[in-house]
Amino acid sequence: MKLRRRHRDHQPSTLTHPASVRVGARTLTLPDAVCASFAVTGYPREVGAGWLEPLLTYPGHLDVSLHIEPIPQQVAAMRLRRQLARLESASRADAQHGRLADFAAEAAADDATELADSLARGHGRLFKVGLYLTINAATEPELAAEVERVRALASSLLLNAQPTTFRALQGWTTSLPLGVDNLGATRTFDTTALAAAFPFTSPDLPTTAGETGVLYGLNATSSGVVVWDRYAQDNHNSVVLARSGAGKSFFTKLEALRLLYQGVEVAVVDPEDEYARLARAVGGTCLRLGASEVRWNPFDLPASHSPRDDVLSRRAMFLQTLIATMLGGTPLSAQARATLDSAIIATYAAAGITRDPATWTRPAPLLTDLVTTLTGKKGAGQAGTELAAQLAPYVTGSYRELFDGPTTTHPAGHLTVFSLRDLPEEMKAVGTLLALDAIWRRVANPRNRKKRLVVVDEAWLLMKQPEGARFLFRMAKAARKHWAGLAVITQDAADLLSSELGQAIVANAASQILLRQAPQAIAAVGDAFDLTDGERQFLLTAERGEALLVAGPANRAALTIVASPTETILATTDPKVLAELDQHDQPHPFQPHDAQPPSPPDFTEITTTSQTDNEESESQ
């Protein structure tokens, strides 16, 4: 019978039978994948604990198979005696013929002597060990690329991985969990070397990066990179704790900038105007609360809402939280809360706004209207008069400017920064609450769902107010349901960890980043995050830009934050660097260096108000 050889180009590229396998010289084609196997034939002379961890944490589809077979004690002793005899004979022959000493042979003889002594004392055993790698990919071009990467990784570990040429099927079956070594490419290991091959611990985090994975930095204890995706965790929240000057704002700006690359919408509550340069660079919007003629009316109803939502009731409850914060953060008594609630509803009714959704588009009342209602409403009594007197500074006194008129603008865009630097210190907690309320309206809009990040810098300003802390806690609990992450940044660990609400916010943050801590706070931080003694010492001695990422008991990594020169210019808050940039008239990092950098056309810095400016801002 004459067999006709089919031309290689005419062979089908895919398998027609679901259980068929095509065996090649070096590859094996499965119904839905292509794989190639390798046997490790060369090993380094010395290894450390967990030296196989880089192979086991390889981000691609790599099967690592380790076959172990103990060698009987008598056989092991006999083989060691023969090996020592050969090495000793070779050494004497070299000496007799005047040849230079073979240092590799001398080192091998010393190792064999130590091993023989260990076996004789019963401190160890010998094992035949076979290490095999099987690489899987969807197509042959992808397989070729994966093979190059895996062999390069093996070479970096001083492992010599050879392909199983003409034994592809045996290599594949050897990598399956069958306990059968069909290749037999073994090497003798002692107990210590074999124990070091088991990766009981790893300095690297598991690969969980998805579409929005962000480079945090370089692992401080290994050669790997730390790429973290907050949106791939159980919840999307994070907590950043550090002493002043440790780099917490720098790190937060880097993450926000890199998330903007991924299409994530970012909103920032900025107490010290540190994010304005970043907003200017990426064409964001900066709203300066407290600046001249900037107005913010907390009575505004959200423009977008579900017909089933009782927007008026929700707005009344937020106003109670806001007014309690205005009055110093002391929780309102039951009588004062009831009086305030009825006055808020009456104020809306006086403006023609009721529970009928058709009335929600009418102009909202102002804070001064609420004070008028409290002083003139029948039945308000002493409680209403006291509330009106306490709100007087925000209506007719020193703090009236922010609330003295309708809202001047409604900022929107891919990056929105609420700057609070122009507010007096006594007003910053109120400003933070107003900014978070405006952000939450946008986050909770069911008609505009997308990945968002809400950054609250210097959160201790709000956490020291009980009502503000409750609002932040509710936001932390509900952010995941709206595809948003809440990033809480603070330098005062005591304000965050000393209260039950603060501890709850930490517990609801799947990503926790700790930078250098003060000795006075390390005990509270260590107990709250269950840090080991080594981790506590690391945080006490960490340099600027060194951090500890904590994502549960098993996922922890010490890292060094890295940034490009352009990112450093945008994120730095070092006064010396900023002074040098101003002195040399440093151009915009995204503009040519030979031209005066104009402000990006789509950047909106809201410091004045007019009808024309408002319309232009909304159109942008």
Side-chain angles (χ1 to χ4, degrees), residues 205-418:
L205 291 173
T207 303
T208 57
E211 297 178 356
T212 50
V214 171
L215 172 65
Y216 276 8
L218 300 178
N219 196 303
T221 55
S222 73
S223 58
V225 297
V226 178
V227 178
W228 192 250
D229 186 0
R230 65 166 64 234
Y231 297 96
Q233 311 309 315
D234 296 336
N235 61 69
H236 316 324
N237 301 334
S238 67
V239 172
V240 181
L241 290 181
R243 62 183 295 178
S244 179
K248 58 185 182 302
S249 296
F250 186 92
F251 167 80
T252 305
K253 292 176 199 173
L254 282 183
E255 184 183 20
L257 181 60
R258 292 166 181 174
L259 284 174
L260 287 172
Y261 298 154
Q262 312 287 351
V264 177
E265 187 177 293
V266 181
V268 183
V269 181
D270 179 13
E272 298 298 336
D273 200 29
E274 296 179 347
Y275 294 77
R277 286 185 300 112
L278 178 61
R280 186 178 295 108
V282 301
T285 301
C286 185
L287 173 63
R288 299 183 182 275
L289 297 181
S292 176
E293 298 185 4
V294 172
R295 303 292 180 267
W296 196 266
N297 183 14
F299 284 80
D300 287 338
L301 297 177
S304 300
H305 53 79
S306 173
R308 295 174 296 178
D309 292 341
D310 191 351
V311 174
L312 189 61
S313 297
R314 292 178 181 271
R315 182 62 8 193
M317 288 186 285
F318 168 74
L319 286 170
Q320 294 179 31
T321 300
L322 176 66
I323 291 173
T325 305
M326 288 178 173
L327 302 183
T330 304
L332 299 176
S333 64
Q335 181 181 2
R337 186 172 293 276
T339 301
L340 181 60
D341 181 67
S342 60
I344 291 172
I345 299 301
T347 302
Y348 274 113
I353 300 175
T354 64
R355 298 187 184 276
D356 183 3
T359 65
W360 293 347
T361 57
R362 296 175 179 174
L366 301 175
L367 186 62
T368 182
D369 298 325
L370 175 63
V371 174
T372 301
T373 303
L374 287 171
T375 55
K377 183 178 180 297
K378 293 181 180 180
Q382 185 67 24
T385 303
E386 292 179 357
L387 286 173
Q390 291 175 305
L391 288 175
Y394 299 95
V395 176
T396 59
S398 303
Y399 307 146
R400 70 181 186 279
E401 189 172 3
L402 181 61
F403 304 101
D404 189 18
T407 301
T408 55
T409 188
H410 299 278
H414 55 281
L415 174 61
T416 305
V417 177
F418 290 82

Side-chain angles (χ1 to χ4, degrees), residues 496-566:
L496 187 64
L497 302 177
S498 61
S499 65
E500 294 183 0
L501 290 176
Q503 295 175 7
I505 291 174
V506 171
N508 280 276
S511 306
Q512 301 159 356
I513 298 92
L514 308 177
L515 291 90
R516 183 167 183 170
Q517 301 294 320
Q520 297 82 358
I522 191 62
V525 173
D527 294 340
F529 295 92
D530 195 21
L531 301 181
T532 64
D533 293 339
E535 290 169 341
R536 299 186 188 208
Q537 187 63 30
F538 171 79
L539 293 179
L540 285 174
T541 60
E543 299 292 336
R544 178 181 296 182
E546 293 182 344
L548 178 67
L549 173 61
V550 179
N555 297 334
R556 303 188 177 211
L559 60 100
T560 301
I561 300 168
V562 294
S564 68
T566 299

Side-chain angles (χ1 to χ4, degrees), residues 174-221:
T174 299
S175 298
L176 295 177
L178 302 176
V180 178
D181 184 358
N182 293 320
L183 293 176
T186 60
R187 176 76 176 267
T188 301
F189 277 46
D190 66 333
T191 303
T192 304
L194 181 60
F198 289 88
F200 294 109
T201 60
S202 170
D204 291 319
L205 291 173
T207 303
T208 57
E211 297 178 356
T212 50
V214 171
L215 172 65
Y216 276 8
L218 300 178
N219 196 303
T221 55

Side-chain angles (χ1 to χ4, degrees), residues 47-53 56 66 68 123-127 129 189-201:
V47 295
W51 61 279
L52 284 181
E53 179 67 22
L56 298 180
L66 189 67
I68 304 170
H123 294 166
R125 297 188 61 181
L126 292 185
F127 302 85
V129 177
F189 277 46
D190 66 333
T191 303
T192 304
L194 181 60
F198 289 88
F200 294 109
T201 60

